[in-house]
Amino acid sequence: MSERAPLLKSQRSLDHELVNQGHMACPGCGAVLAMRYVLNVLGPKTIVVLPACCWSVISGRHPASALNVPLFHTAFETAAAVATGVRGALDARGDSETHVLAWAGDGGTFDIGLQALSGAAERNEDIIYVCYDNEAYMNTGVQRSSSTPPGAWTTTTPAAQPEDRDKKDIMGIMAAHRIPYAATAAIAYPDDLMAKVKKARDTRGMRFLHIFCPCPTGWRTPPDMTVELARAAVQARVFPLYEVENGETWSLTLEPEGRPIADYIRAQGRFAHVDDQTIAQYQSATDRRWDQLMKRMAQGC
Amino acid sequence: MKQLLMGDHAVSRAVGLARVDFIAAYPITPQTLIVEELSEMAARGDIHTRFVKVESEHTALAACMGASMTGVRTFTATASQGLLLMHEILHWAAGARTPIVMVNVNRAIAPPWNLWSEQTDSLAQRDTGWLQFYCENNQDVLDTTLQAFKIAERTLVPAMLVLDAFILSHTTEPVDVPEQAEADAFLPPYSPRHILDTDAPRAFGSITGADDYFELKRLRHESMRDVLAIAAEVDADFETRFGRGHGLIKPYRCEDAELVIVTSGTTSSTARAAVDALRDQGRAVGMINVRLFRPFPGELLARAIGSAPKVAVIDRNLCVGLGGIFAQELRADLYGRDVRPEVFGFVTGLGGGDITPASVSAMAGHALANTPPADNAPIWWK
């Protein structure tokens, strides 16, 4: 995991940054990179709807703001609902140009916000919904969510009784709503990520992006490992990069090497208690999920 | 033009006249007629409204908040459990200063299931920062809906207006419906002050310390108190234009009264008939309809009660362990004023039980003949 990232096309966008310096994220936060890449594609004509999540704090304390776009803080479970209203009002005012970006964490998406998200997806609301996934309730101090992977320590899944359920298949759920566009992305692959944001930007209707964002604070990893961990997750097929159009066309956007997941697991303090035998089980489970994904790629839906 | 309208349809017509830009709603009995009629109006092209049929009341209000923050006139309607589900967003919408107008059709709260009239649903939201009107008849419903938009948009305090389940929502009465041009002249398009705008990007609701937080809360209190004067002004303007006003409270035959009955909603019409009958019998009884509940019009009530030694509050609602909520509010407000009548708190008609001229007369007779329970306990009147 020591390879150097190639020069990024995304670096060209630095002259019109929409994420300011001086934000309030922890050092090495993956979610800040994700916001930066997404906003740099969507541009200044974007309204952000932000439910309770790490970004509620990252965005800064009143009257400062870390974003150069309008931002509305809202209740935990209402990202998709409030975005529905913002879109409706823009439409009523004849503004079809401005993008509405609902920006929620995994807790606000997989758990408490799932009903509103499902409603918006079913109605095919013309919004872009991003779930930045750091695999637990990090803002409240690392509690498990239904996105927390098996074996992970959190403050509510202590090492003596770690998380024992698979991550909820949020992409499967969103694909089942037959929305025009859904994709996974990871902050280690900004060109792939930004290409997907562009595709989302140029599609109308409900768009869903599931962005993998390692969290040094919650994962018990050094802050300078964040990008490499995201890359390791993708290459180990833990977090494959793909897109789904209309719930039917599934396509891989990056062929992972299929590295053993042991390297990915061993690099993180949250898995420190996990033994080799258990890692072997996780490897089997990862392989099984990958095979299922490949079947979907081949068959559609 | 006078038309025969059910209470729910009077709401729908007013929402159409108000040229609402955005509606989000979820069905719940007995509110459903409102959104059904609005759907028909939208389908016919009578109104040009973005109408989102959402998956819950919680989302309905959250979506209205997003739309209002983006600068358009918004409306939703609900009842009972639906209003309770909205509770978190009631606070948020008020804190975000979004002038949403919402109609709540009062309905009892489960368990057990009961779909009939009771005011506990809306009164339980009294601390959420919404102004609250209680409507007496279908004309009041239509007129108050129009007025509510104007008051909410001037004060940036969201407005809830309340009508009794079935007794108003599903009862047909003649209603004078203004012409569109008259409504437009009374209620010009919403001109928002601070919205989500990409040309002037701002963050709304960012984390604050105690100082800013305290000041924002205090300003909300000031705005809510301002509603008393602005609502009176809007009602006076309405009266000038349409020949009818409703007042924030409506006293009736209170002069020289030994007993003043305080009621709200449709019970006020019943109580007015009872007062006439009691006056015919030579009993010095008056009544006051409380139309505006939040902000509480304590000064107006104290003045209308005047020197009457007794007040009987009729509550079709219950704060469990304390009693009727109008009685509680009135007692709290009178404390420390010069006017210190004995206050009888009657709790009656829960779950849609009938309140009749005879039962109101009986409660009045009880109050005239007795002293209130020493501990302000509710008087249960089945």
Side-chain angles (χ1 to χ4, degrees):
Chain A
M1 296 204 302
S2 58
E3 72 198 62
R4 300 290 297 180
L7 189 66
L8 305 175
K9 289 180 202 159
S10 49
Q11 285 175 340
R12 288 180 205 147
S13 63
L14 287 172
D15 55 348
H16 57 87
E17 288 293 331
L18 294 171
V19 178
N20 291 318
Q21 298 175 17
H23 58 72
M24 290 167 68
C26 305
C29 173
V32 173
L33 288 175
M35 179 69 94
R36 191 180 145 213
Y37 295 140
V38 169
L39 278 184
N40 282 353
V41 174
L42 294 182
K45 288 201 83 65
T46 303
I47 292 173
V48 178
V49 174
L50 195 65
C53 60
C54 285
W55 257 97
S56 310
V57 174
I58 296 171
S59 64
R61 179 173 161 150
H62 171 83
S65 175
L67 298 183
N68 287 338
V69 292
L71 162 64
F72 185 69
H73 289 270
T74 188
F76 216 155
E77 64 287 12
T78 62
V82 171
T84 293
V86 173
R87 176 81 265 160
L90 290 171
D91 289 348
R93 292 164 49 190
D95 178 352
S96 58
E97 190 190 351
T98 300
H99 303 291
V100 180
L101 174 63
W103 184 270
D106 48 288
T109 303
F110 287 57
D111 292 342
I112 197 169
L114 188 63
Q115 175 181 315
L117 174 60
S118 173
E122 175 276 321
R123 297 188 302 270
N124 198 25
E125 294 291 346
D126 189 20
I127 61 173
I128 301 170
Y129 188 109
V130 171
C131 170
Y132 67 99
D133 184 1
N134 53 25
E135 301 198 316
Y137 289 89
M138 296 311 185
N139 193 34
T140 44
V142 198
Q143 294 83 27
R144 68 86 67 179
S145 76
S146 62
S147 175
T148 302
W153 160 92
T154 69
T155 54
T156 53
T157 49
Q161 198 173 49
E163 178 60 37
D164 61 354
R165 300 284 301 162
D166 262 350
K167 273 173 82 100
K168 190 184 279 185
D169 180 11
I170 194 71
M171 285 296 287
I173 291 169
M174 294 315 291
H177 286 76
R178 313 250 170 208
I179 58 175
Y181 187 71
T184 64
I187 50 138
Y189 296 92
D191 292 340
D192 175 83
L193 190 159
M194 291 169 73
K196 285 164 176 166
V197 179
K198 280 195 181 98
K199 203 159 177 178
R201 181 193 67 192
D202 299 336
T203 303
R204 298 322 292 246
M206 182 74 183
R207 292 144 286 169
F208 180 81
L209 295 173
H210 180 195
I211 304 181
F212 193 71
C213 298
C215 166
T217 308
W219 292 15
R220 298 296 190 249
T221 51
D224 61 356
M225 285 284 288
T226 300
V227 173
E228 294 207 27
L229 280 168
R231 184 177 304 122
V234 171
Q235 292 298 351
R237 296 172 173 167
V238 169
F239 196 88
L241 301 183
Y242 59 96
E243 52 193 13
V244 188
E245 290 170 73
N246 302 309
E248 289 169 353
T249 314
W250 295 61
S251 28
L252 209 58
T253 59
L254 186 140
E255 186 68 51
E257 293 166 12
R259 295 179 197 162
I261 69 162
D263 293 349
Y264 172 66
I265 298 282
R266 286 288 176 232
Q268 301 173 53
R270 63 174 171 161
F271 294 115
H273 53 278
V274 175
D275 61 24
D276 288 343
Q277 197 186 345
T278 310
I279 291 180
Q281 289 168 13
Y282 295 165
Q283 182 69 60
S284 309
T286 304
D287 294 345
R288 240 187 351 266
R289 277 196 305 274
W290 173 258
D291 291 344
Q292 285 164 359
L293 184 65
M294 289 305 101
K295 271 188 206 152
R296 278 173 161 172
M297 298 284 164
Q299 297 166 355
C301 75
Chain B
M1 191 177 69
K2 287 230 175 187
Q3 297 182 28
L4 286 171
L5 292 176
M6 285 190 279
D8 275 0
H9 289 171
V11 172
S12 312
R13 295 298 292 275
V15 170
L17 288 169
R19 297 188 187 273
V20 168
D21 301 294
F22 182 90
I23 300 171
Y26 186 80
I28 180 168
T29 303
Q31 167 275 121
T32 34
L33 296 182
I34 298 173
V35 293
E36 286 169 3
E37 179 68 5
L38 284 167
S39 302
E40 294 285 345
M41 289 161 69
R44 282 197 304 267
D46 293 352
I47 55 173
H48 302 284
T49 300
R50 168 109 173 134
F51 187 170
V52 187
K53 288 95 180 186
V54 293
E55 83 293 337
S56 73
E57 289 92 349
H58 196 280
T59 286
L61 190 56
C64 282
M65 181 170 71
S68 187
M69 278 305 303
T70 315
V72 303
R73 186 169 285 160
T74 62
F75 173 81
T76 189
T78 189
S80 184
Q81 313 296 138
L83 184 65
L84 303 189
L85 184 62
M86 288 177 175
H87 178 78
E88 180 198 23
I89 310 302
L90 291 172
H91 280 282
W92 209 293
R97 307 300 298 257
T98 49
I100 301 163
V101 170
M102 163 158 59
V103 165
N104 179 66
V105 184
N106 270 147
R107 174 185 126 177
I109 297 168
W113 283 116
N114 178 302
L115 309 183
W116 292 278
S117 192
E118 187 184 310
Q119 299 169 320
T120 310
D121 55 357
S122 52
L123 290 170
Q125 314 307 323
R126 62 184 146 161
D127 298 336
T128 58
W130 286 59
L131 69 94
Q132 291 194 4
F133 280 111
Y134 287 76
C135 297
E136 190 186 336
N137 54 50
N138 292 352
Q139 188 70 60
D140 192 4
V141 168
L142 184 139
D143 297 349
T144 304
T145 307
L146 282 173
Q147 292 186 12
F149 284 104
K150 196 157 183 166
I151 299 163
E153 289 167 11
R154 271 185 66 180
T155 57
L156 299 183
V157 177
M160 184 187 304
L161 64 123
V162 177
L163 53 150
D164 292 343
F166 299 104
I167 303 169
L168 268 196
S169 66
H170 287 59
T171 299
T172 301
E173 293 183 332
V175 177
D176 196 340
V177 181
E179 297 298 324
Q180 184 64 57
E182 296 174 309
D184 290 344
F186 171 73
L187 182 66
Y190 174 40
S191 57
R193 277 169 264 178
H194 306 291
I195 63 169
L196 294 163
D197 179 0
T198 54
D199 290 333
R202 291 189 180 88
F204 293 91
S206 302
I207 196 163
T208 64
D211 283 355
D212 286 333
Y213 184 89
F214 191 102
E215 183 60 10
L216 286 165
K217 282 284 155 80
R218 195 191 62 76
L219 288 170
R220 281 177 58 194
H221 177 81
E222 295 297 322
S223 295
M224 179 63 95
R225 297 308 299 176
D226 289 346
V227 167
L228 285 165
I230 288 169
E233 194 184 306
V234 167
D235 190 53
D237 176 37
F238 191 91
E239 186 165 11
T240 307
R241 292 167 185 274
F242 299 99
R244 56 179 183 273
H246 299 277
L248 306 187
I249 66 167
K250 198 178 235 180
Y252 181 70
R253 301 184 82 167
C254 288
E255 57 286 352
D256 304 325
E258 285 174 56
L259 172 72
V260 172
I261 302 167
V262 173
T263 63
S264 59
T266 55
T267 304
S268 292
S269 300
T270 309
R272 208 171 282 117
V275 163
D276 284 341
L278 288 162
R279 286 277 182 178
D280 287 350
Q281 294 162 22
R283 317 292 297 270
V285 178
M287 61 81 63
I288 305 170
N289 173 41
V290 184
R291 177 165 166 263
L292 181 71
F293 172 77
R294 253 315 165 266
F296 194 72
E299 180 66 32
L300 294 175
L301 284 166
R303 239 183 287 149
I305 290 165
S307 56
K310 290 184 176 186
V311 171
V313 184
I314 300 181
D315 272 302
R316 193 200 283 272
N317 59 73
L318 179 64
C319 171
V320 174
L322 195 60
I325 294 169
F326 277 86
Q328 174 197 355
E329 294 264 339
L330 183 63
R331 281 193 192 104
D333 195 278
L334 289 174
Y335 194 89
R337 290 188 190 274
D338 295 338
V339 176
R340 295 290 289 278
E342 292 180 329
V343 177
F344 297 75
F346 291 95
V347 172
T348 188
L350 300 181
D354 279 343
I355 302 174
T356 64
S359 71
V360 173
S361 294
M363 285 183 262
H366 177 94
L368 284 167
N370 291 281
T371 53
D375 57 357
N376 286 333
I379 304 165
W380 306 100
W381 206 270
K382 278 214 257 186

